[in-house]
Coordinates of all heavy atoms in Angstrom, one line a residue:
M1169 N -39.4 -37.5 -12.2 CA -39.1 -36.5 -13.2 C -39.0 -35.2 -12.6 O -38.1 -34.4 -12.9 CB -40.3 -36.6 -14.3 CG -40.0 -35.8 -15.5 SD -38.9 -36.8 -16.6 CE -39.0 -35.8 -18.0
N1170 N -39.9 -34.8 -11.8 CA -39.8 -33.5 -11.1 C -38.6 -33.4 -10.2 O -38.0 -32.4 -10.1 CB -41.1 -33.3 -10.2 CG -42.2 -32.7 -11.1 OD1 -42.0 -32.4 -12.3 ND2 -43.4 -32.7 -10.5
G1171 N -38.2 -34.6 -9.6 CA -37.0 -34.6 -8.8 C -35.8 -34.2 -9.6 O -34.9 -33.5 -9.1
S1172 N -35.7 -34.7 -10.8 CA -34.6 -34.4 -11.7 C -34.6 -32.9 -12.0 O -33.5 -32.3 -12.0 CB -34.6 -35.3 -12.9 OG -33.6 -34.9 -13.8
R1173 N -35.8 -32.4 -12.3 CA -35.9 -31.0 -12.7 C -35.5 -30.1 -11.5 O -34.8 -29.1 -11.6 CB -37.3 -30.7 -13.2 CG -37.5 -29.3 -13.7 CD -38.8 -29.1 -14.2 NE -38.8 -28.0 -15.1 CZ -39.8 -27.8 -15.9 NH1 -40.8 -28.5 -16.0 NH2 -39.7 -26.7 -16.7
D1174 N -36.0 -30.5 -10.3 CA -35.7 -29.7 -9.1 C -34.2 -29.7 -8.9 O -33.6 -28.6 -8.5 CB -36.4 -30.3 -7.9 CG -37.9 -30.0 -7.9 OD1 -38.3 -29.2 -8.7 OD2 -38.6 -30.7 -7.1
R1175 N -33.6 -30.8 -9.1 CA -32.1 -30.9 -8.9 C -31.4 -30.0 -9.9 O -30.4 -29.3 -9.5 CB -31.7 -32.4 -9.0 CG -30.2 -32.5 -8.7 CD -29.8 -33.9 -8.5 NE -28.4 -33.9 -8.3 CZ -27.6 -34.9 -8.5 NH1 -28.1 -36.0 -8.9 NH2 -26.3 -34.8 -8.3
S1176 N -31.9 -30.1 -11.1 CA -31.3 -29.2 -12.2 C -31.4 -27.8 -11.8 O -30.4 -27.0 -12.0 CB -31.9 -29.5 -13.5 OG -31.4 -28.7 -14.5
D1177 N -32.6 -27.3 -11.3 CA -32.7 -25.9 -11.0 C -31.8 -25.6 -9.8 O -31.2 -24.5 -9.7 CB -34.2 -25.7 -10.6 CG -35.1 -25.7 -11.8 OD1 -34.6 -25.6 -12.9 OD2 -36.3 -25.8 -11.6
S1178 N -31.7 -26.5 -8.9 CA -30.9 -26.3 -7.7 C -29.4 -26.2 -8.1 O -28.7 -25.3 -7.6 CB -31.0 -27.5 -6.7 OG -30.1 -27.3 -5.6
D1179 N -29.0 -27.0 -9.0 CA -27.6 -27.0 -9.5 C -27.4 -25.6 -10.2 O -26.3 -25.0 -10.1 CB -27.3 -28.1 -10.5 CG -27.2 -29.5 -9.8 OD1 -27.2 -29.5 -8.6 OD2 -27.2 -30.5 -10.5
R1180 N -28.3 -25.2 -11.0 CA -28.2 -23.9 -11.7 C -28.1 -22.8 -10.7 O -27.3 -21.9 -10.9 CB -29.4 -23.7 -12.6 CG -29.2 -22.6 -13.7 CD -30.4 -22.5 -14.7 NE -30.6 -23.8 -15.4 CZ -31.8 -24.4 -15.4 NH1 -32.8 -23.9 -14.8 NH2 -32.0 -25.5 -16.0
R1181 N -28.9 -22.8 -9.7 CA -28.9 -21.7 -8.7 C -27.5 -21.7 -8.0 O -26.9 -20.7 -7.8 CB -30.0 -21.9 -7.7 CG -31.3 -21.3 -8.2 CD -32.3 -21.2 -7.0 NE -32.7 -22.5 -6.5 CZ -33.7 -23.2 -6.9 NH1 -34.4 -22.8 -7.9 NH2 -33.9 -24.4 -6.3
Q1182 N -27.0 -22.9 -7.7 CA -25.7 -23.0 -7.0 C -24.6 -22.4 -7.9 O -23.8 -21.7 -7.5 CB -25.4 -24.5 -6.8 CG -26.1 -25.1 -5.6 CD -25.6 -24.6 -4.3 OE1 -25.7 -23.5 -3.9 NE2 -24.9 -25.5 -3.6
F1183 N -24.7 -22.8 -9.2 CA -23.7 -22.3 -10.2 C -23.8 -20.8 -10.2 O -22.7 -20.1 -10.2 CB -24.0 -22.9 -11.6 CG -23.1 -22.2 -12.6 CD1 -21.8 -22.6 -12.8 CD2 -23.6 -21.3 -13.5 CE1 -21.0 -22.0 -13.7 CE2 -22.8 -20.7 -14.4 CZ -21.5 -21.0 -14.5
L1184 N -25.0 -20.2 -10.3 CA -25.1 -18.8 -10.4 C -24.6 -18.1 -9.2 O -23.9 -17.0 -9.2 CB -26.6 -18.4 -10.7 CG -27.1 -18.7 -12.1 CD1 -28.6 -18.5 -12.2 CD2 -26.3 -18.0 -13.2
K1185 N -24.8 -18.7 -8.0 CA -24.3 -18.1 -6.7 C -22.8 -18.1 -6.8 O -22.1 -17.1 -6.4 CB -24.8 -18.9 -5.5 CG -26.1 -18.6 -5.0 CD -26.4 -19.4 -3.8 CE -27.8 -19.3 -3.3 NZ -28.0 -20.1 -2.2
L1186 N -22.2 -19.2 -7.2 CA -20.7 -19.4 -7.3 C -20.2 -18.3 -8.2 O -19.2 -17.6 -7.9 CB -20.3 -20.8 -7.6 CG -18.9 -21.1 -7.7 CD1 -18.2 -20.8 -6.4 CD2 -18.6 -22.5 -8.2
A1187 N -20.8 -18.3 -9.4 CA -20.3 -17.3 -10.5 C -20.4 -15.9 -9.9 O -19.5 -15.1 -10.1 CB -21.1 -17.5 -11.7
G1188 N -21.5 -15.6 -9.3 CA -21.6 -14.2 -8.7 C -20.6 -13.9 -7.7 O -20.0 -12.9 -7.6
G1189 N -20.3 -14.9 -6.8 CA -19.3 -14.8 -5.8 C -17.9 -14.5 -6.4 O -17.2 -13.7 -5.9
L1190 N -17.6 -15.3 -7.4 CA -16.3 -15.1 -8.1 C -16.2 -13.8 -8.7 O -15.1 -13.1 -8.7 CB -16.1 -16.2 -9.1 CG -15.9 -17.6 -8.6 CD1 -15.8 -18.6 -9.7 CD2 -14.6 -17.7 -7.8
A1191 N -17.3 -13.3 -9.3 CA -17.3 -12.0 -10.0 C -17.0 -10.9 -8.9 O -16.2 -10.0 -9.1 CB -18.6 -11.7 -10.7
V1192 N -17.6 -11.0 -7.7 CA -17.4 -10.0 -6.7 C -16.0 -10.1 -6.2 O -15.4 -9.1 -6.0 CB -18.4 -10.3 -5.5 CG1 -18.1 -9.5 -4.3 CG2 -19.9 -9.9 -6.0
A1193 N -15.5 -11.3 -6.0 CA -14.1 -11.5 -5.5 C -13.1 -10.9 -6.5 O -12.2 -10.2 -6.1 CB -13.8 -13.0 -5.3
S1194 N -13.4 -11.1 -7.8 CA -12.5 -10.5 -8.8 C -12.5 -9.0 -8.8 O -11.5 -8.3 -8.9 CB -12.9 -11.0 -10.2 OG -12.7 -12.4 -10.3
L1195 N -13.7 -8.4 -8.7 CA -13.9 -7.0 -8.6 C -13.1 -6.4 -7.4 O -12.4 -5.4 -7.5 CB -15.3 -6.6 -8.6 CG -15.7 -5.1 -8.6 CD1 -15.1 -4.5 -9.8 CD2 -17.2 -4.9 -8.5
A1196 N -13.3 -7.1 -6.3 CA -12.6 -6.7 -5.0 C -11.1 -6.7 -5.2 O -10.5 -5.8 -4.7 CB -13.1 -7.6 -3.9
S1197 N -10.6 -7.7 -5.9 CA -9.1 -7.7 -6.0 C -8.6 -6.6 -6.9 O -7.5 -6.2 -6.7 CB -8.7 -9.1 -6.6 OG -9.1 -9.2 -8.0
V1198 N -9.5 -6.0 -7.7 CA -9.1 -4.9 -8.5 C -9.2 -3.6 -7.8 O -8.3 -2.7 -7.8 CB -9.9 -4.8 -9.8 CG1 -9.7 -3.5 -10.6 CG2 -9.6 -6.0 -10.7
V1199 N -10.3 -3.5 -7.0 CA -10.6 -2.2 -6.3 C -9.8 -2.1 -5.0 O -9.3 -1.0 -4.6 CB -12.1 -2.1 -6.0 CG1 -12.4 -0.9 -5.2 CG2 -12.8 -2.0 -7.4
L1200 N -9.7 -3.2 -4.2 CA -9.2 -3.1 -2.9 C -7.7 -2.7 -2.7 O -7.3 -2.0 -1.8 CB -9.4 -4.4 -2.1 CG -10.9 -4.6 -1.8 CD1 -11.1 -5.9 -1.0 CD2 -11.5 -3.4 -1.0
P1201 N -6.8 -3.1 -3.7 CA -5.4 -2.6 -3.5 C -5.3 -1.1 -3.4 O -4.6 -0.6 -2.5 CB -4.7 -3.2 -4.7 CG -5.5 -4.4 -5.1 CD -6.9 -4.0 -4.8
G1202 N -6.0 -0.4 -4.2 CA -5.9 1.1 -4.1 C -6.5 1.6 -2.8 O -6.0 2.5 -2.2
R1203 N -7.6 0.9 -2.4 CA -8.2 1.3 -1.1 C -7.2 1.0 0.0 O -7.1 1.8 1.0 CB -9.5 0.5 -1.0 CG -10.3 0.9 0.3 CD -11.5 0.0 0.3 NE -12.1 0.1 1.7 CZ -13.2 0.7 2.0 NH1 -13.9 1.2 1.0 NH2 -13.7 0.7 3.2
A1204 N -6.6 -0.2 0.0 CA -5.6 -0.6 1.0 C -4.5 0.4 1.1 O -4.0 0.8 2.2 CB -5.1 -2.0 0.8
A1205 N -4.0 0.9 -0.1 CA -2.9 1.9 -0.1 C -3.4 3.1 0.5 O -2.6 3.8 1.3 CB -2.5 2.1 -1.5
A1206 N -4.6 3.5 0.3 CA -5.1 4.8 0.8 C -5.2 4.7 2.3 O -5.1 5.7 3.0 CB -6.5 5.1 0.2
Q1207 N -5.4 3.5 2.9 CA -5.5 3.3 4.3 C -4.2 2.9 5.0 O -4.2 2.7 6.2 CB -6.6 2.2 4.6 CG -7.9 2.6 4.1 CD -9.0 1.5 4.4 OE1 -8.6 0.4 4.5 NE2 -10.2 1.9 4.4
A1208 N -3.1 2.9 4.2 CA -1.8 2.5 4.8 C -1.5 3.5 5.9 O -1.8 4.7 5.8 CB -0.8 2.5 3.8
Q1209 N -0.8 3.0 6.9 CA -0.4 3.8 8.1 C 0.9 4.5 7.8 O 1.8 3.9 7.1 CB -0.3 3.0 9.3 CG -1.7 2.4 9.8 CD -1.6 1.7 11.1 OE1 -0.5 1.2 11.4 NE2 -2.7 1.5 11.8
S1210 N 1.1 5.6 8.5 CA 2.4 6.2 8.4 C 3.4 5.5 9.2 O 3.1 4.8 10.2 CB 2.3 7.7 8.9 OG 1.4 8.4 8.1
V1211 N 4.7 5.6 8.9 CA 5.7 4.9 9.6 C 5.8 5.6 11.0 O 5.8 6.9 11.1 CB 7.1 5.1 8.9 CG1 8.2 4.7 9.8 CG2 7.1 4.3 7.6
D1212 N 5.8 4.8 12.0 CA 6.0 5.3 13.4 C 7.5 5.6 13.6 O 8.3 4.7 13.5 CB 5.5 4.2 14.4 CG 5.6 4.7 15.8 OD1 6.2 5.7 16.1 OD2 5.1 4.0 16.7
P1213 N 7.8 6.8 13.9 CA 9.2 7.2 14.1 C 9.9 6.3 15.2 O 11.1 6.2 15.3 CB 9.2 8.6 14.5 CG 7.9 9.1 14.2 CD 6.9 8.0 14.1
K1214 N 9.0 5.7 16.1 CA 9.6 4.9 17.2 C 9.7 3.4 16.7 O 10.2 2.6 17.5 CB 8.7 5.0 18.4 CG 8.7 6.3 19.0 CD 7.7 6.4 20.2 CE 7.6 7.8 20.7 NZ 6.4 8.1 21.5
D1215 N 9.3 3.1 15.5 CA 9.5 1.8 15.0 C 11.0 1.4 15.0 O 11.8 2.3 14.6 CB 8.9 1.8 13.6 CG 9.2 0.5 12.8 OD1 10.3 0.2 12.4 OD2 8.2 -0.3 12.7
P1216 N 11.4 0.2 15.4 CA 12.8 -0.1 15.5 C 13.6 0.2 14.2 O 14.7 0.7 14.2 CB 12.8 -1.6 15.8 CG 11.5 -1.8 16.5 CD 10.5 -0.9 15.9
L1217 N 13.0 -0.2 13.0 CA 13.7 0.1 11.8 C 13.8 1.6 11.6 O 14.9 2.1 11.1 CB 12.9 -0.5 10.6 CG 13.5 -0.3 9.2 CD1 14.9 -0.8 9.1 CD2 12.6 -0.9 8.1
A1218 N 12.8 2.4 11.8 CA 12.8 3.8 11.7 C 13.9 4.4 12.6 O 14.7 5.3 12.2 CB 11.5 4.4 12.0
V1219 N 14.0 3.9 13.8 CA 15.0 4.4 14.8 C 16.4 4.1 14.2 O 17.3 4.9 14.2 CB 14.8 3.8 16.2 CG1 15.9 4.1 17.1 CG2 13.5 4.3 16.8
S1220 N 16.6 2.8 13.8 CA 17.9 2.4 13.3 C 18.3 3.2 12.1 O 19.5 3.4 11.9 CB 18.0 0.9 13.0 OG 17.2 0.6 11.9
L1221 N 17.4 3.7 11.3 CA 17.7 4.5 10.1 C 17.7 6.0 10.3 O 18.0 6.7 9.4 CB 16.7 4.1 8.9 CG 16.8 2.7 8.4 CD1 15.7 2.5 7.4 CD2 18.1 2.4 7.9
G1222 N 17.3 6.4 11.5 CA 17.3 7.8 11.8 C 16.1 8.5 11.1 O 16.2 9.7 10.8
Y1223 N 15.1 7.8 10.8 CA 14.0 8.3 10.0 C 13.3 9.4 10.8 O 13.0 9.2 12.0 CB 13.0 7.3 9.6 CG 11.7 7.8 9.0 CD1 11.7 8.3 7.7 CD2 10.6 7.9 9.8 CE1 10.5 8.9 7.2 CE2 9.4 8.5 9.3 CZ 9.4 9.0 8.0 OH 8.2 9.5 7.5
A1224 N 12.9 10.5 10.2 CA 12.1 11.5 10.7 C 11.1 12.1 9.7 O 11.6 12.2 8.5 CB 12.9 12.7 11.3
C1225 N 9.9 12.3 10.0 CA 8.9 12.8 9.1 C 9.3 14.2 8.7 O 9.1 14.6 7.5 CB 7.5 12.8 9.7 SG 6.2 13.4 8.7
D1226 N 9.8 15.0 9.6 CA 10.3 16.3 9.3 C 11.9 16.1 9.1 O 12.7 16.3 10.0 CB 10.0 17.3 10.5 CG 10.4 18.7 10.1 OD1 11.0 18.9 9.1 OD2 10.1 19.6 10.9
G1227 N 12.2 15.7 7.9 CA 13.6 15.4 7.6 C 14.6 16.5 8.0 O 15.7 16.1 8.4
A1228 N 14.2 17.7 7.8 CA 15.2 18.8 8.0 C 15.6 18.9 9.4 O 16.7 19.4 9.7 CB 14.5 20.1 7.5
K1229 N 14.8 18.3 10.3 CA 15.2 18.3 11.8 C 15.9 17.1 12.2 O 16.3 17.0 13.4 CB 13.9 18.5 12.6 CG 13.3 19.9 12.4 CD 12.1 20.1 13.3 CE 11.5 21.5 13.1 NZ 10.2 21.6 13.8
A1230 N 16.1 16.1 11.3 CA 16.7 14.9 11.7 C 18.3 15.0 11.8 O 18.9 15.6 10.9 CB 16.4 13.8 10.6
P1231 N 18.9 14.5 12.9 CA 20.3 14.5 12.9 C 20.9 13.8 11.7 O 20.5 12.7 11.4 CB 20.6 13.8 14.2 CG 19.3 13.8 15.0 CD 18.2 13.8 14.0
G1232 N 21.8 14.4 11.1 CA 22.4 13.7 9.9 C 21.8 14.1 8.6 O 22.4 13.8 7.5
Y1233 N 20.7 14.9 8.6 CA 20.0 15.3 7.4 C 21.0 16.2 6.6 O 21.7 17.0 7.1 CB 18.8 16.1 7.7 CG 18.2 16.8 6.6 CD1 17.5 16.1 5.6 CD2 18.4 18.2 6.4 CE1 16.9 16.8 4.5 CE2 17.8 18.9 5.3 CZ 17.1 18.2 4.4 OH 16.6 18.9 3.3
V1234 N 21.0 15.9 5.3 CA 21.8 16.7 4.4 C 20.8 17.5 3.5 O 19.8 17.0 3.0 CB 22.7 15.8 3.5 CG1 23.5 16.7 2.5 CG2 23.7 15.0 4.4
E1235 N 21.1 18.8 3.4 CA 20.2 19.7 2.6 C 19.7 19.1 1.3 O 20.5 18.6 0.5 CB 21.0 21.0 2.3 CG 20.1 22.1 1.6 CD 19.1 22.7 2.6 OE1 19.3 22.7 3.8 OE2 18.0 23.1 2.0
G1236 N 18.4 19.1 1.1 CA 17.8 18.6 -0.1 C 17.5 17.1 -0.2 O 16.9 16.6 -1.1
Q1237 N 17.9 16.4 0.9 CA 17.7 14.9 0.8 C 16.4 14.5 1.4 O 16.3 13.8 2.4 CB 18.8 14.2 1.5 CG 20.2 14.3 0.8 CD 21.2 13.4 1.5 OE1 21.1 12.9 2.6 NE2 22.4 13.3 0.8
F1238 N 15.3 15.0 0.9 CA 14.0 14.5 1.4 C 13.6 13.2 0.7 O 14.0 12.9 -0.4 CB 12.9 15.6 1.0 CG 13.1 16.9 1.8 CD1 13.3 18.1 1.2 CD2 13.0 16.8 3.2 CE1 13.4 19.2 2.0 CE2 13.1 18.0 4.0 CZ 13.3 19.2 3.4
C1239 N 12.7 12.5 1.4 CA 12.2 11.2 0.8 C 11.7 11.4 -0.6 O 11.9 10.5 -1.5 CB 11.0 10.7 1.7 SG 11.5 10.1 3.3
K1240 N 11.0 12.5 -0.9 CA 10.4 12.7 -2.3 C 11.5 12.7 -3.4 O 11.2 12.5 -4.5 CB 9.6 13.9 -2.4 CG 10.3 15.2 -2.1 CD 9.3 16.4 -2.0 CE 10.0 17.7 -1.6 NZ 9.1 18.8 -1.4
G1241 N 12.8 12.9 -3.0 CA 13.9 12.8 -3.9 C 14.7 11.6 -3.8 O 15.8 11.5 -4.4
C1242 N 14.2 10.6 -3.1 CA 14.9 9.3 -2.8 C 14.5 8.3 -3.8 O 13.3 8.2 -4.2 CB 14.6 8.9 -1.4 SG 15.4 7.3 -1.0
Q1243 N 15.4 7.5 -4.3 CA 15.1 6.4 -5.2 C 14.1 5.4 -4.7 O 13.4 4.7 -5.4 CB 16.5 5.7 -5.6 CG 16.3 4.6 -6.6 CD 16.0 5.2 -8.0 OE1 16.4 6.2 -8.4 NE2 15.2 4.4 -8.7
L1244 N 14.1 5.3 -3.3 CA 13.3 4.2 -2.7 C 11.8 4.7 -2.5 O 11.0 4.0 -2.0 CB 13.9 3.8 -1.4 CG 15.3 3.2 -1.6 CD1 15.9 2.8 -0.2 CD2 15.3 2.0 -2.5
Y1245 N 11.6 6.0 -2.7 CA 10.3 6.6 -2.5 C 9.4 6.4 -3.8 O 9.9 6.7 -4.9 CB 10.4 8.0 -2.2 CG 9.1 8.8 -1.9 CD1 8.5 8.7 -0.7 CD2 8.6 9.6 -2.9 CE1 7.3 9.4 -0.4 CE2 7.4 10.4 -2.6 CZ 6.8 10.2 -1.4 OH 5.7 10.9 -1.1
S1246 N 8.2 6.0 -3.6 CA 7.3 5.8 -4.8 C 6.0 6.6 -4.7 O 5.0 6.3 -5.4 CB 7.1 4.3 -5.1 OG 6.5 3.7 -4.0
G1247 N 6.0 7.6 -3.9 CA 4.8 8.4 -3.8 C 4.7 9.4 -5.0 O 5.7 9.6 -5.6
A1248 N 3.6 10.0 -5.1 CA 3.4 11.1 -6.1 C 4.2 12.3 -5.7 O 4.5 12.5 -4.6 CB 1.9 11.5 -6.2
A1249 N 4.7 13.0 -6.7 CA 5.6 14.1 -6.5 C 5.0 15.2 -5.6 O 5.7 15.8 -4.8 CB 6.0 14.8 -7.8
D1250 N 3.7 15.4 -5.7 CA 3.0 16.4 -4.9 C 2.3 15.9 -3.7 O 1.6 16.6 -3.0 CB 2.1 17.2 -5.8 CG 1.0 16.4 -6.4 OD1 1.1 15.1 -6.3 OD2 0.0 16.9 -6.9
A1251 N 2.5 14.6 -3.3 CA 1.8 14.0 -2.2 C 2.5 14.3 -0.9 O 3.7 14.6 -0.9 CB 1.7 12.5 -2.4
K1252 N 1.8 14.3 0.2 CA 2.4 14.6 1.5 C 3.1 13.4 2.0 O 4.0 13.5 2.8 CB 1.3 14.9 2.5 CG 0.7 16.3 2.3 CD -0.2 16.7 3.5 CE -0.6 18.2 3.3 NZ -1.4 18.7 4.4
N1253 N 2.7 12.2 1.5 CA 3.5 11.0 1.9 C 3.3 9.9 0.8 O 2.6 10.1 -0.1 CB 2.9 10.4 3.3 CG 1.4 10.2 3.3 OD1 0.9 10.0 2.3 ND2 0.8 10.4 4.4
G1254 N 4.1 8.9 1.0 CA 4.0 7.8 0.0 C 4.8 6.6 0.4 O 5.5 6.6 1.5
P1255 N 4.7 5.5 -0.3 CA 5.4 4.3 0.0 C 6.9 4.4 -0.1 O 7.4 5.1 -0.9 CB 4.9 3.3 -1.0 CG 3.7 3.9 -1.6 CD 3.9 5.4 -1.5
C1256 N 7.6 3.7 0.7 CA 9.1 3.6 0.6 C 9.4 2.1 0.6 O 8.8 1.3 1.4 CB 9.7 4.2 1.9 SG 11.5 3.7 2.1
A1257 N 10.4 1.7 -0.2 CA 10.7 0.3 -0.4 C 11.2 -0.3 0.9 O 11.1 -1.5 1.1 CB 11.8 0.1 -1.5
L1258 N 11.7 0.5 1.8 CA 12.3 -0.1 3.1 C 11.2 -0.3 4.1 O 11.3 -1.1 5.0 CB 13.3 0.9 3.7 CG 14.6 1.1 2.9 CD1 15.5 2.0 3.6 CD2 15.2 -0.2 2.6
F1259 N 10.1 0.4 4.0 CA 9.0 0.3 5.0 C 7.8 -0.3 4.3 O 6.8 0.5 4.0 CB 8.7 1.7 5.6 CG 9.8 2.2 6.4 CD1 10.7 3.2 5.9 CD2 10.0 1.8 7.8 CE1 11.7 3.7 6.6 CE2 11.0 2.4 8.5 CZ 11.9 3.3 8.0
Q1260 N 7.8 -1.5 4.1 CA 6.7 -2.2 3.4 C 5.3 -2.0 4.0 O 5.2 -2.2 5.2 CB 7.0 -3.7 3.2 CG 8.2 -4.0 2.4 CD 7.9 -3.7 0.9 OE1 6.9 -4.1 0.3 NE2 8.9 -3.0 0.3
G1261 N 4.4 -1.6 3.2 CA 3.0 -1.4 3.7 C 2.8 -0.1 4.5 O 1.7 0.1 5.1
K1262 N 3.8 0.7 4.7 CA 3.6 1.9 5.4 C 4.0 3.1 4.5 O 4.6 2.9 3.5 CB 4.6 1.9 6.6 CG 4.3 0.7 7.6 CD 3.6 1.1 8.8 CE 3.2 0.0 9.6 NZ 3.8 -0.1 10.9
L1263 N 3.6 4.3 5.0 CA 3.9 5.5 4.2 C 5.0 6.4 5.0 O 4.9 6.5 6.2 CB 2.7 6.3 4.1 CG 1.5 5.6 3.3 CD1 0.3 6.5 3.3 CD2 1.9 5.2 1.9
V1264 N 5.9 6.9 4.2 CA 6.8 7.9 4.8 C 6.4 9.3 4.3 O 5.8 9.5 3.3 CB 8.3 7.6 4.4 CG1 8.7 6.2 4.9 CG2 8.4 7.6 2.9
C1265 N 6.8 10.3 5.1 CA 6.5 11.7 4.7 C 7.4 12.1 3.5 O 8.6 11.8 3.4 CB 6.8 12.6 5.9 SG 5.8 12.3 7.3
S1266 N 6.8 12.8 2.6 CA 7.5 13.2 1.4 C 8.7 14.1 1.8 O 9.7 14.1 1.1 CB 6.6 13.9 0.4 OG 6.1 15.1 1.0
E1267 N 8.6 14.8 2.9 CA 9.7 15.7 3.3 C 10.4 15.0 4.5 O 11.0 15.7 5.3 CB 9.2 17.1 3.7 CG 8.7 17.7 2.4 CD 8.6 19.2 2.4 OE1 8.9 19.8 3.4 OE2 8.4 19.8 1.3
G1268 N 10.3 13.7 4.6 CA 11.0 12.9 5.6 C 12.4 12.7 5.1 O 12.9 13.1 4.0
W1269 N 13.2 12.0 6.0 CA 14.6 11.6 5.7 C 15.0 10.4 6.5 O 14.5 10.2 7.6 CB 15.5 12.8 6.0 CG 17.0 12.5 5.7 CD1 17.7 12.6 4.6 CD2 17.9 12.0 6.7 NE1 19.0 12.2 4.8 CE2 19.1 11.8 6.1 CE3 17.8 11.7 8.1 CZ2 20.3 11.4 6.7 CZ3 18.9 11.2 8.7 CH2 20.2 11.1 8.0
C1270 N 15.9 9.7 5.9 CA 16.6 8.6 6.7 C 18.0 8.4 6.2 O 18.3 8.9 5.1 CB 15.8 7.3 6.8 SG 16.1 6.2 5.5
K1271 N 18.8 7.6 6.9 CA 20.2 7.4 6.5 C 20.4 6.7 5.2 O 21.5 6.7 4.7 CB 20.9 6.6 7.7 CG 21.0 7.3 9.0 CD 21.6 6.4 10.0 CE 21.6 7.0 11.4 NZ 22.0 6.0 12.4
S1272 N 19.3 6.0 4.8 CA 19.4 5.2 3.5 C 19.0 6.0 2.3 O 18.8 5.4 1.2 CB 18.5 4.0 3.7 OG 19.0 3.1 4.7
W1273 N 18.9 7.3 2.4 CA 18.5 8.1 1.3 C 19.5 7.9 0.1 O 20.7 7.8 0.3 CB 18.6 9.6 1.6 CG 18.1 10.5 0.6 CD1 16.8 10.9 0.4 CD2 18.8 11.1 -0.5 NE1 16.7 11.8 -0.7 CE2 17.9 11.9 -1.2 CE3 20.1 11.1 -0.9 CZ2 18.3 12.6 -2.4 CZ3 20.5 11.8 -2.0 CH2 19.6 12.6 -2.7
V1274 N 18.9 7.6 -1.1 CA 19.6 7.4 -2.3 C 19.0 8.4 -3.4 O 17.8 8.4 -3.5 CB 19.4 6.0 -2.8 CG1 20.2 5.8 -4.1 CG2 19.9 5.0 -1.8
K1275 N 19.9 9.1 -4.0 CA 19.4 10.1 -5.0 C 18.6 9.4 -6.1 O 19.0 8.4 -6.6 CB 20.6 10.8 -5.6 CG 20.1 11.9 -6.6 CD 21.3 12.7 -7.1 CE 20.7 13.7 -8.1 NZ 21.6 14.7 -8.5
R1276 N 17.4 9.9 -6.3 CA 16.5 9.4 -7.4 C 17.2 9.6 -8.7 O 17.7 10.7 -9.0 CB 15.2 10.1 -7.3 CG 14.2 9.6 -8.3 CD 12.9 10.4 -8.3 NE 12.2 10.3 -7.1 CZ 11.2 9.5 -6.9 NH1 10.7 8.8 -7.9 NH2 10.6 9.4 -5.7
S1277 N 17.2 8.6 -9.5 CA 17.8 8.7 -10.9 C 16.8 9.4 -11.8 O 15.5 9.3 -11.6 CB 18.1 7.4 -11.5 OG 17.0 6.5 -11.5
A1278 N 17.3 10.2 -12.7 CA 16.4 11.0 -13.6 C 15.5 10.2 -14.5 O 15.4 9.2 -14.7 CB 17.2 12.0 -14.4
Ligands
SF4_1627 FE1 12.8 8.3 2.9 FE2 14.5 7.1 1.2 FE3 14.8 6.7 3.8 FE4 12.7 5.6 2.5 S1 14.9 5.2 2.1 S2 12.6 6.7 4.5 S3 12.2 7.2 1.0 S4 15.0 8.7 2.7

């Protein structure tokens, strides 16, 4: 009889551990994406894609730059308007400078 009760208690403890672990995992999946975004690295201007697109963090100094075509005004940029950098659809998982520029600049629609 005690063996059955011990097993039942053990099963209950196992269940509670599993439920607690799932709750922590669920919470982490909600919290960590924002944290991961905050830790995203800037695009390396020497990155082959960056080189091929002529990307520069200081867009105004990039060869081919056209007045006013900063990343922050590009359709592919999704950073906050007042942020120093933000995500670009072309550089997955990396951040571009808000005043950067590349050859793929596309005017942001209103
Ligand atoms: Fe900047 Fe747009 Fe080029 Fe991305 S595609 S690097 S946002 S100019």
